[in-house]
Amino acid sequence: MTTGRRRLFVLLFVIALVAISGLVIATKETKLGLDLQGGLELVYQGQPTGTSTEVSGEDIEDSISIIEQRINKLGVSEPEVARLGTDEITVSLPGVTDANRAAEQVGSTAQLYYYDWEPNLIGPEHAIGGNLGQEPAEGALKASEKLWEEAGRNVTSRDNVQLIDAGAYPTAYDAAKLASEQKPVENCTDCSVAKPRYYLFQKAKPHDLIAGPELSKKDLYISPTGKKRPKNGIVVEVPAGTILVSEYPTDEEGKLDETADPGWFALKDKPALSGSDITEPEQTYAPTTNEPVVAFQFTGSGQQAFQDVTRDIAQRGQAQAIGPVGPEEAAQLSGHFAVVLDNEVKTRPIINFAEYPDGIDGREGAQISGGFSSVQDAQDLATTLQIGALPINLKLISETQVSATLGSQALHEGIKAGIIGLSLVIIFLLLYYRFLGLVASIALGAYGVIFFALIKLIPITLTLPGIAGLVLTIGVAADSNIVIFERIKEEVRAGRSMSSAISAGYKRGISTIIDANVVTLLTAFILFVLATAGVKGFAFTLGVGTIVSLLTAVVFTQALLGSMSRSRLLRSPAALGAGGEGKQWHFDFMGASRWFFSISGVILLVGAFALADKQLNFGIDFESGTRITAALQKPTDEEGVRDALESAGINGEEVQQVTDPNFGANVFQIQSHQLEPGEVHSAEAALASEFGIVNQGFDSTSVGPTFGQQIASSALKALIFSLLVICGYVALRFDPKFAVPVLIAIFHDILITAGVYSLTGKEVSSGTVAAFLTILGYSIYDTIIVFDRIRENVPRMPRAAFSQIVNRSMSEVLTRSLATSFSTLLAVASLLVFGGATLQDFAFAMLVGIASGTYSSIFIASPVLTAWKEREPGFVRRRLRIEEVEGGRVPAYADDIEMAKLGRDDEREAPAAALAEEPAAEAAPGAVATVERTDSGGGNGAGSLTNGSGDGDTDAAAAASAERRERNAERKARRQARRKHGRR
């Protein structure tokens, strides 16, 4: 294929791609993340249920499948459930407003068990409530009432009498003490939990329950949001084979009264059936009372087990009866069949032996009744049972709720920042590069259309960090054009024809672009693999955008410019911004390096003092805790909000009044390290009751310490891997010595950015970490541009000192480096000015990092490389030769004439061409004076200088001979000096 046809093919291909992309954009919807459309995001950590010792990959996959089915029952559109790391699951629920119900439905383990109640009661419990039809043992009853009184519970109230008569304990601590006294059951395959469980109680009476049950003691001492629990509390271990359950009293209608305080039981852990033994659960209504119930059928083995246990209960009741009895009398003697869901007794119906003397035939199924406060509760339980129990426990470690209004606002701000950033970059390209800028703008337009179509087609879930990545790739695409356009301008000024300049510009610029973009891709890949879900969106858009930019900014523009290279539009260099000689830099960069090092040292010292004194302001992503943003209807102040929260039992929070573009000035931000994820809903209720909350004006984020530690660990791993990969690539692509200055420059930029964050007190979030890691790529973008030119100039300047090579390279690419950084800063500045809070945090870190990266690539990395390379023997010899010629100094820039003089000296210094002078003979007047040169190569061996005057000839010959002797002495001295430094 000829060059012209190849260009035509590329142009037609890109035009077709843009047309198809436009069709995709018009027909497919954009998939928005929760931070842009509102909703609920939950992050769970899987933990063993007790029958196993670890969480397997199969457990996580099974849990994801079950959670997806549960979400489908909730009716949530386009939910996302994904694995996060090895043992975590992230759940995104767009548009969900009832966060409490969604969290409970999604993450409830739903461990359902059925117990033959009375035989499983232990000790005093059995003495009081385990002998149906008989008066409870008087001593046991009095001891129980005394315990209830000591716990501050009224022993005459209807609710408490009901629990006392059943044998319940007034506190979890009392029941746990009884359970801890039981012997553990080894290898208990029939138990609901085959491992001991731990509870933490307050040391002071009445020993309120602080935490538990947990399968590990260490989990007792820290809450999911990082609140440290008292180390001096009382830890009680409940052995395998015994469980602790709670039960609420029932009201006059037989419904559980969840507003009352529960009673507590220690039970033998011998369930008769489990949730896996039932099928077809559904919410329905009791035919006589019309109350909500959950009806279900049994599996084959479950049906038989159900009949066996109900038969045992019925026969035990029959044995208590004396003679025939009716159903009402039988009810007083009949045993109970308890339904226990997640360690809470939902119902304890009797098995009336008068009605079911042989138990209940499981062929007709059964139902759970009496334990529901609403129809919704019954429906939720039916849904959970339909899908099945999770194979592992899910611990909620992070919860984020974003209102639809705030999400819409964030989307609007992100789009505005992107449009303004693109416009600023296009204006800069047009003003600076003129016609080339127009070509670049067309390429940016094609890039935007193709990239946005890919976002919809893949599809990529567009999040706020993703928008930041999208805007940033605009700068990346422009940078590629700038690198090539500066090359084209250099070739035009050197006198090349337009078509030749375009071809040479792309040929020489492509290696720099590939090097810089490979580093960006490597950084994006590491971010995607190791970062959290939010940052993954940024990494993915940055990576995809970088790849697309190579197509539009390099391949497309080359074809477009190549096809127009002979047109009138490109005849004048001024049309390309290449008129005149261009900006020539003659600054001694390497000579002034000590000043640059001093400036950086002062900046780093100030940053170090700030870090030591103020440290970094880590957000809840790292520190854990809860942050709430609430727009209130009634005006109030920070103290009023604090009082409302304290009335709901929420203390120790930080309250700050802020202004929001959508909700005005009556908006409050609440942050606390003490809130449990579930307490967020209590805070919302308290604020709504006291002041009213604007519609869609509540936003919250809860992060547990486990999730915070994971973010910190991932950030550290990503930083280390990025450094290793980037340095490895630079070492392979350039030279191993080139990698060390890159490493120093990167640390320089990260330390400066950290120092600025410490001085300003700005919050460090996971988005900031993404910006830090992106700085790694951008920090060496300019460095690679400089190093690439140094690599190119080394063979071109074989007799120059390394400092002269670097100075020349810096002067040639400084304009290009400043232009690439400026175009990227334009895009980042638009995020900083027009983006929302999240985008502004990200943009601030990028702004500082790019400015620092531009500085370090010019004034840190190159001088460090020079200081190292000039110690090499070859460059030491070059420097000595130059100092000899220049009188002990090395000029900042290598002059062409001086280099040529050094070249002639080198040629004459060959041993085979050494000169041997002979004394001039006295010549008679008019005779010919000769100066002979020995020539090992043969020939006549003599040259002649002829002059008409005798004495003048003799004087001239003598002067010439003296000059040669002096020159030879200088050469001899130089040779000795070089031998001294290792050259033979």
Side-chain angles (χ1 to χ4, degrees):
M1 185 183 292
T2 63
T3 303
R5 288 185 177 180
R6 184 169 62 250
R7 289 170 181 164
L8 180 62
F9 172 78
V10 170
L11 291 176
L12 291 175
F13 174 75
V14 173
I15 291 171
L17 203 57
V18 170
I20 295 171
S21 299
L23 185 64
V24 171
I25 293 172
T27 56
K28 290 187 71 69
E29 291 186 0
T30 306
K31 192 174 183 180
L32 299 178
L34 295 183
D35 51 358
L36 297 179
Q37 66 171 323
L40 181 70
E41 182 183 58
L42 307 167
V43 180
Y44 292 96
Q45 183 182 44
Q47 297 181 334
T49 57
T51 54
S52 60
T53 57
E54 61 181 17
V55 176
S56 66
E58 185 180 356
D59 290 335
I60 294 292
E61 295 302 325
D62 290 345
S63 297
I64 288 174
S65 176
I66 291 171
I67 289 173
E68 286 175 340
Q69 294 179 60
R70 291 183 179 180
I71 292 171
N72 291 336
K73 295 289 183 178
L74 284 174
V76 178
S77 61
E78 296 186 350
E80 283 190 16
V81 184
R83 184 172 181 171
L84 190 63
T86 57
D87 62 350
E88 292 174 6
I89 298 172
T90 176
V91 182
S92 299
L93 305 173
V96 169
T97 55
D98 189 349
N100 194 20
R101 180 185 168 223
E104 289 181 359
Q105 181 98 9
V106 169
S108 172
T109 310
Q111 298 291 347
L112 181 66
Y113 293 96
Y114 303 84
Y115 288 86
D116 184 352
W117 184 255
E118 283 78 17
N120 285 308
L121 292 174
I122 298 172
E125 297 172 344
H126 190 273
I128 297 172
N131 299 309
L132 297 173
Q134 302 177 18
E135 289 293 325
E138 185 175 350
L141 185 59
K142 286 184 177 181
S144 177
E145 289 176 345
K146 183 179 179 181
L147 277 178
W148 280 74
E149 288 175 348
E150 290 175 351
R153 305 280 294 269
N154 185 353
V155 296
T156 61
S157 72
R158 178 187 175 280
D159 291 342
N160 290 342
V161 167
Q162 185 184 132
L163 293 171
I164 292 170
D165 289 345
Y169 280 90
T171 66
Y173 177 72
D174 293 320
K177 277 203 307 181
L178 175 63
S180 67
E181 296 167 358
Q182 310 307 307
K183 291 183 179 180
V185 177
E186 299 294 335
N187 301 319
C188 186
T189 57
D190 296 330
C191 299
S192 64
V193 180
K195 297 172 64 178
R197 293 200 278 186
Y198 300 90
Y199 294 80
L200 178 64
F201 299 93
Q202 284 186 350
K203 194 168 186 179
K205 290 184 177 182
H207 307 299
D208 290 337
L209 178 63
I210 299 174
E214 298 286 357
L215 295 174
S216 170
K217 279 186 182 180
K218 66 179 182 179
D219 291 337
L220 293 172
Y221 296 109
I222 188 165
S223 75
T225 56
K227 177 183 175 183
K228 292 184 178 179
R229 293 169 175 149
K231 293 280 188 180
N232 61 347
I234 301 173
V235 176
V236 177
E237 178 183 342
V238 176
T242 307
I243 63 166
L244 213 61
V245 300
S246 64
E247 181 181 39
Y248 287 101
T250 56
D251 59 18
E252 286 139 359
E253 297 179 356
K255 295 180 181 179
L256 289 180
D257 183 6
E258 295 185 355
T259 61
D261 292 327
W264 293 85
F265 296 89
L267 295 181
K268 296 176 185 176
D269 193 8
K270 296 180 179 178
L273 292 92
S274 70
S276 60
D277 293 317
I278 67 172
T279 61
E280 302 177 22
E282 62 175 341
Q283 185 270 318
T284 183
Y285 296 92
T288 54
T289 62
N290 205 36
E291 66 174 357
V293 298
V294 175
F296 51 85
Q297 300 295 322
F298 291 103
T299 63
S301 59
Q303 176 184 327
Q304 185 61 49
F306 181 72
Q307 181 159 10
D308 289 343
V309 68
T310 53
R311 181 191 296 117
D312 290 343
I313 296 173
Q315 291 176 352
R316 195 168 56 247
Q318 180 69 58
Q320 299 290 327
I322 301 175
V325 295
E328 292 184 4
E329 294 178 22
Q332 303 299 318
L333 302 174
S334 297
H336 294 82
F337 184 58
V339 180
V340 178
L341 179 66
D342 292 338
N343 300 323
E344 183 180 318
V345 178
K346 284 295 182 183
T347 182
R348 277 196 298 126
I350 62 169
I351 305 299
N352 194 309
F353 63 85
E355 297 177 349
Y356 305 103
D358 194 38
I360 302 174
D361 187 349
R363 286 179 296 180
E364 299 299 324
Q367 66 182 31
I368 302 172
S369 62
F372 307 109
S373 57
S374 67
V375 175
Q376 187 64 61
D377 284 347
Q379 289 176 346
D380 289 345
L381 177 58
T383 299
T384 302
L385 296 179
Q386 282 172 8
I387 297 164
L390 291 170
I392 53 176
N393 289 320
L394 290 183
K395 186 176 183 180
L396 184 63
I397 59 174
S398 175
E399 175 185 347
T400 302
Q401 183 180 354
V402 180
S403 71
T405 303
L406 293 175
S408 175
Q409 173 191 337
L411 177 61
H412 174 73
E413 291 169 342
I415 292 174
K416 182 169 70 173
I419 292 173
I420 293 174
L422 178 62
S423 302
L424 289 174
V425 172
I426 288 175
I427 291 171
F428 166 69
L429 293 173
L430 290 173
L431 291 177
Y432 193 75
Y433 291 104
R434 303 180 188 178
F435 183 78
L436 290 177
L438 177 62
V439 172
S441 300
I442 294 172
L444 279 178
Y447 162 80
V449 173
I450 295 171
F451 188 25
F452 194 49
L454 281 175
I455 288 175
K456 291 192 168 195
L457 194 62
I458 291 177
I460 300 172
T461 300
L462 195 60
T463 61
L464 276 175
I467 289 178
L470 195 156
V471 175
L472 193 59
T473 54
I474 294 173
V476 173
D479 288 350
S480 299
N481 284 129
I482 289 170
V483 169
I484 290 173
F485 291 170
E486 286 295 327
R487 275 289 193 177
I488 292 174
K489 289 166 67 175
E490 286 180 18
E491 301 299 331
V492 169
R493 291 188 181 114
R496 283 179 179 266
S497 66
M498 194 58 65
S499 60
S500 178
I502 292 171
S503 176
Y506 276 93
K507 183 179 179 180
R508 294 180 177 178
I510 190 65
S511 64
T512 305
I513 292 171
I514 289 175
D515 287 334
N517 283 309
V518 164
V519 168
T520 304
L521 284 171
L522 289 173
T523 305
F525 176 75
I526 291 169
L527 267 176
F528 184 80
V529 172
L530 296 178
T532 55
V535 177
K536 284 183 188 290
F538 163 77
F540 197 73
T541 52
L542 181 62
V544 173
T546 301
I547 295 171
V548 175
S549 71
L550 287 174
L551 170 66
T552 58
V554 179
V555 179
F556 175 61
T557 58
Q558 183 178 18
L560 187 59
L561 280 174
S563 62
M564 301 172 66
S565 60
R566 301 185 185 278
S567 69
R568 293 181 179 180
L569 293 172
L570 296 179
R571 285 184 179 178
S572 170
L576 308 181
E581 295 184 1
K583 176 65 178 176
Q584 297 293 323
W585 301 88
H586 291 286
F587 183 74
D588 186 3
F589 297 97
M590 299 304 101
S593 60
R594 61 183 182 276
W595 297 107
F596 302 139
F597 290 154
S598 300
I599 292 170
S600 290
V602 171
I603 295 173
L604 291 174
L605 194 62
V606 172
F609 277 120
L611 287 169
D613 180 41
K614 301 175 65 177
Q615 299 181 343
L616 290 173
N617 177 24
F618 287 107
I620 63 171
D621 287 354
F622 297 98
E623 296 290 327
S624 75
T626 300
R627 176 181 294 157
I628 297 171
T629 302
L632 306 181
Q633 293 176 340
K634 298 178 183 178
T636 184
D637 55 14
E638 285 96 339
E639 196 59 37
V641 172
R642 195 173 287 110
D643 291 341
L645 293 174
E646 286 179 357
S647 66
I650 300 171
N651 301 307
E653 67 285 341
E654 297 175 10
V655 181
Q656 180 183 4
Q657 189 167 4
V658 296
T659 300
D660 186 271
N662 282 349
F663 299 119
N666 197 35
V667 179
F668 293 85
Q669 191 175 85
I670 304 151
Q671 184 164 327
S672 173
H673 295 292
Q674 300 183 7
L675 290 184
E676 301 282 342
E679 291 180 300
V680 174
H681 314 301
S682 300
E684 182 180 7
L687 294 174
S689 174
E690 188 74 21
F691 309 108
I693 296 177
V694 177
N695 185 34
Q696 298 294 329
F698 187 86
D699 179 31
S700 71
T701 301
S702 293
V703 177
T706 303
F707 196 57
Q709 291 167 7
Q710 177 194 333
I711 292 175
S713 174
S714 297
L716 184 61
K717 289 178 183 176
L719 177 63
I720 293 172
F721 275 109
S722 296
L723 289 174
L724 292 176
V725 169
I726 289 172
C727 289
Y729 180 79
V730 171
L732 290 173
R733 193 72 176 87
F734 293 87
D735 183 271
K737 287 185 177 179
F738 280 58
V740 175
V742 167
L743 199 62
I744 292 172
I746 288 172
F747 276 116
H748 169 274
D749 300 336
I750 291 176
L751 289 174
I752 284 182
T753 306
V756 170
Y757 261 78
S758 180
L759 282 171
T760 58
K762 291 187 73 67
E763 184 178 277
V764 177
S765 63
S766 57
T768 311
V769 172
F772 268 47
L773 296 174
T774 308
I775 289 169
L776 298 185
Y778 259 81
S779 178
I780 69 167
Y781 196 101
D782 288 327
T783 307
I784 283 179
I785 291 176
V786 176
F787 282 8
D788 190 70
R789 184 56 67 95
I790 292 172
R791 179 178 58 182
E792 185 178 322
N793 281 337
V794 166
R796 289 182 177 181
M797 304 171 68
R799 298 176 185 88
F802 197 79
S803 61
Q804 294 176 322
I805 297 173
V806 173
N807 272 335
R808 173 68 61 82
S809 302
M810 297 280 286
S811 67
E812 290 172 350
V813 301
L814 183 59
T815 300
R816 187 191 313 178
S817 295
L818 294 176
T820 55
S821 296
F822 184 69
S823 67
T824 306
L825 285 173
L826 286 175
V828 173
S830 69
L831 288 175
L832 185 64
V833 176
F834 301 103
T838 302
L839 294 178
Q840 288 172 347
D841 288 342
F842 175 86
F844 181 81
M846 284 298 302
L847 197 69
V848 175
I850 291 173
S852 174
T854 304
Y855 172 83
S856 67
S857 66
I858 299 171
F859 303 122
I860 301 297
S862 298
V864 170
L865 179 64
T866 301
W868 195 353
K869 293 287 286 184
E870 286 209 325
R871 296 177 181 273
E872 293 180 358
F875 287 111
V876 169
R877 292 194 294 270
R878 290 190 192 185
R879 193 172 187 85
L880 285 172
R881 285 204 305 272
I882 296 169
E883 287 175 348
E884 290 168 5
V885 172
E886 297 294 335
R889 72 182 187 91
V890 177
Y893 288 85
D895 185 84
D896 292 338
I897 297 175
E898 294 169 357
M899 292 298 103
K901 186 188 297 183
L902 286 171
R904 287 197 300 273
D905 285 348
D906 282 347
E907 291 167 4
R908 290 170 181 168
E909 286 170 6
L915 296 176
E917 286 117 0
E918 294 182 2
E922 260 186 52
V928 176
T930 63
V931 179
E932 294 184 1
R933 174 181 292 174
T934 59
D935 193 337
S936 61
N940 58 15
S944 61
L945 297 173
T946 307
N947 200 313
S949 61
D951 291 338
D953 291 341
T954 303
D955 293 340
S961 179
E963 184 180 349
R964 281 193 295 274
R965 282 195 298 272
E966 183 180 351
R967 198 161 53 242
N968 287 339
E970 290 176 357
R971 292 193 190 102
K972 184 177 181 180
R974 286 201 299 270
R975 283 196 296 272
Q976 290 173 346
R978 285 197 294 274
R979 291 191 186 101
K980 183 179 178 180
H981 288 87
R983 179 173 173 178
R984 295 288 182 261

